[in-house]
Amino acid sequence: MHCGLCLPTCPTYDATKVERNSPRGRIALMRAIADDQLAPTKTFGDEMYFCLGCLACMTACPAGVNYAELFEHARAEAEASGALRSPKRNFIRAFTLRWLFMDLRRLRAAGRLLRFYQCTDLQSFLRRTVLKLFPQRLRELEALTPDMQPKFSADLIAPVTPPAGPKRFRVALLTGCVQDLAFSDVNRDTAEVLARAGCEVVTPREQSCCGSLHAHNGEWELARELARRHLEQFPPDQFDAIITNAGGCGSHLKHFRKLLADDPVYRERAELWDRKVKDIHEWLVQVSGIRYQVSGDARGAKPPDTWHLTPDTLIVTYHESCHLCHGQKITAQPRELLRSIPGLKLVELPESSWCCGSAGVYNLTHPEMANELLARKLAHIRSTGASVVATANPGCLVQLIQGAKQEGLNLRVVHPITLLAEAGRKKSLQR
Ligand code: SF4
Ligand code: SF4
């Protein structure tokens, strides 16, 4: 099918109106390469990396084309061809994908160094002096670095958190990589909310990156290695659920079966794993019995008529992480959880499922396009009049925090689970 229904949902096509920059155009290129009519040239590789991987086209496609798989294979093909190689690119990929993100101890050490840089006068001194001499791109990169947390997840969460009441479930909590460094407080809030829902929460101190960064950047073997590590670190038969609070990671974590389909040792375990991995919103709604609409219709749902705004009412809007809504089809649950918070009014965000430009490392590799998308997103957020925007992915959180800072907005950017945890604490104090 070449219906083109995906075209209006594609941010890169929307920006350029060039067929090659659309899902249909990209699939045609992939097809031509698969049929040996085209070689995987640098132009092909660049096109695959110009794609955000937002998967909005998958939601729109009436034929059920699995763009996520096509896109990952295409990037792997581009990498294998060597067409994109350059000394600088090779070094960056070797340092980040093959070294830094393969061992979280290294990443945490880097996080501590970064924290030292951010919290001493060093950052402001270098910004005033040496950094001014650096190329603009490098200065932009420095400004995009998220603030590191003073403590990482292992310092904030006990290896086993007991349930707040009778034990209903035993779950494992995945603390992630960037999430662990920049949003360990969200991981702590997640453990707290799970405990309130009757879960015993197992949070191993030593964890690994989920491998989505590797799979999305054509490093399948490394992604497989990390998947196997997860199956060893979190034996799926020992938990009722394995919980993730990062939309991008969840979308990858739910597909280990395909990744390890040819592995006789791990194949079966991967199947069980895929069934046990749950996004935190999905799991909480499932176990708490909050009523929600299963379809995406909830996106346009109106808040209850009974709303009476008081000076204390918190106006919140919700930005959907691409991989939570398009990758995992989780749209209604975060909204229902937010609506369940007393004193909170949820205002729908126009184009809530349109990419904010973060898209993994897209804001680093394609800053112009990423900034265009960010400006569009911030304009919509401003139009809602909300003082808080909730979003459930570390990349989106970083992107929106930076955007709000640059535009001088008085806007709190927060994970929905943090709002839920804060409401729970308030309730406990009132008892
Ligand atoms: S993943 Fe996003 S950017 Fe890429 S083709 Fe699909 S809609 Fe366009
Ligand atoms: S990917 Fe789906 S929506 Fe897009 S042109 Fe092909 S069939 Fe149509």
Side-chain angles (χ1 to χ4, degrees):
M1 277 175 75
H2 305 285
C3 64
L5 284 174
C6 52
L7 268 59
T9 68
C10 174
T12 53
Y13 178 74
D14 183 72
T16 66
K17 298 290 185 290
V18 174
E19 174 73 13
R20 200 181 74 189
N21 304 150
S22 77
R24 186 173 62 186
R26 290 181 178 124
I27 292 169
L29 282 174
M30 295 174 200
R31 181 70 198 245
I33 286 176
D35 291 345
D36 281 333
Q37 288 168 357
L38 210 69
T41 57
K42 182 171 183 310
T43 312
F44 170 74
D46 286 342
E47 187 53 58
M48 293 309 123
Y49 279 95
F50 185 46
C51 169
L52 292 145
C54 69
L55 310 184
C57 48
M58 257 176 82
T59 299
C61 179
V65 170
N66 190 339
Y67 185 84
E69 262 185 56
L70 293 173
F71 156 81
E72 284 187 354
H73 279 283
R75 281 196 176 177
E77 181 84 31
E79 293 304 331
S81 74
L84 292 169
R85 276 185 205 149
S86 74
K88 185 175 150 198
R89 192 172 185 276
N90 294 351
F91 171 75
I92 293 173
R93 285 177 67 87
F95 177 69
T96 53
L97 296 176
R98 287 177 217 131
W99 190 77
L100 195 58
F101 281 85
M102 288 305 288
D103 186 338
L104 288 194
R105 280 170 302 190
R106 293 173 194 154
L107 198 66
R108 284 191 200 120
R112 281 189 200 102
L113 272 179
L114 206 53
R115 168 90 190 155
F116 174 77
Y117 168 70
Q118 290 169 341
C119 291
T120 56
D121 289 339
L122 192 61
Q123 186 174 43
S124 54
F125 172 72
L126 289 183
R127 279 183 177 173
R128 273 184 279 117
T129 55
V130 183
L131 272 176
K132 281 187 175 170
L133 307 173
F134 279 57
Q136 191 189 350
R137 186 72 204 101
L138 218 76
R139 278 182 276 137
E140 283 169 3
L141 278 180
E142 193 269 344
L144 271 175
T145 316
D147 287 346
M148 296 293 107
Q149 288 284 321
K151 289 182 176 177
F152 302 148
S153 306
D155 305 317
L156 297 176
I157 309 170
V160 178
T161 307
K167 178 173 156 183
R168 298 169 65 206
F169 306 100
R170 182 169 192 262
V171 304
L173 176 60
L174 300 169
T175 49
C177 52
V178 175
Q179 182 83 353
D180 182 31
L181 303 187
F183 302 105
S184 51
D185 52 340
V186 176
N187 286 335
R188 179 206 54 212
D189 296 342
T190 306
E192 191 179 310
V193 166
L194 283 166
R196 279 184 200 281
C199 301
E200 179 184 71
V201 188
V202 179
T203 314
R205 297 181 74 83
E206 290 311 318
Q207 303 204 15
S208 304
C209 164
C210 70
S212 71
L213 199 61
H214 303 79
H216 291 163
N217 286 283
E219 292 285 355
W220 277 45
E221 260 326 303
L222 296 180
R224 284 194 188 100
E225 190 184 323
L226 290 167
R228 287 186 199 103
R229 262 193 230 169
H230 274 81
L231 296 176
E232 293 290 347
Q233 285 165 343
F234 302 88
D237 56 343
Q238 293 183 13
F239 301 104
D240 295 305
I242 297 159
I243 306 292
T244 170
N245 54 22
C249 305
S251 184
H252 174 75
L253 286 158
K254 288 180 173 177
H255 299 289
F256 279 3
R257 184 181 62 83
K258 279 192 185 153
L259 204 56
L260 299 172
D262 297 328
D263 187 323
V265 179
Y266 288 94
R267 192 171 44 211
E268 272 183 33
R269 228 184 295 176
E271 274 187 38
L272 182 61
W273 165 276
D274 285 5
R275 288 202 296 276
K276 295 278 176 87
V277 173
K278 301 282 175 196
D279 169 72
I280 178 68
H281 310 88
E282 177 185 25
W283 174 252
L284 285 176
V285 168
Q286 186 181 322
V287 301
S288 65
I290 292 177
R291 199 168 50 81
Y292 70 100
Q293 290 169 272
V294 181
S295 75
D297 297 351
R299 274 180 218 177
K302 298 256 185 317
D305 294 336
T306 48
W307 264 109
H308 299 294
L309 295 186
T310 70
D312 296 334
T313 305
L314 190 63
I315 313 280
V316 177
T317 194
Y318 175 62
H319 158 65
E320 309 200 51
S321 132
C322 295
H323 282 241
L324 190 60
C325 74
H326 302 304
Q328 301 184 58
K329 309 294 180 219
I330 292 173
T331 60
Q333 297 93 322
R335 289 176 166 86
E336 284 308 313
L337 291 172
L338 287 170
R339 284 199 191 103
S340 73
I341 297 174
L344 184 152
K345 182 187 177 188
L346 183 66
V347 186
E348 270 304 315
L349 178 66
E351 292 187 352
S352 63
S353 61
W354 196 262
C355 181
C356 66
S358 166
V361 290
Y362 197 89
N363 53 356
L364 305 179
T365 57
H366 297 77
E368 276 177 24
M369 182 74 203
N371 285 340
E372 233 176 79
L373 291 169
L374 177 60
R376 182 170 174 155
K377 182 63 67 182
L378 289 172
H380 284 315
I381 293 172
R382 276 198 303 268
S383 77
T384 64
S387 57
V388 178
V389 57
T391 189
N393 188 50
C396 307
L397 285 165
V398 171
Q399 177 84 334
L400 296 180
I401 289 169
Q402 295 296 349
K405 214 189 273 178
Q406 275 160 19
E407 292 203 7
L409 300 180
N410 187 14
L411 179 72
R412 185 180 179 204
V413 186
V414 68
H415 196 292
I417 294 304
T418 293
L419 293 174
L420 211 60
E422 287 172 357
R425 281 173 217 143
K426 210 163 146 191
K427 211 168 152 193
S428 306
L429 281 175
Q430 284 164 358
R431 274 194 197 130

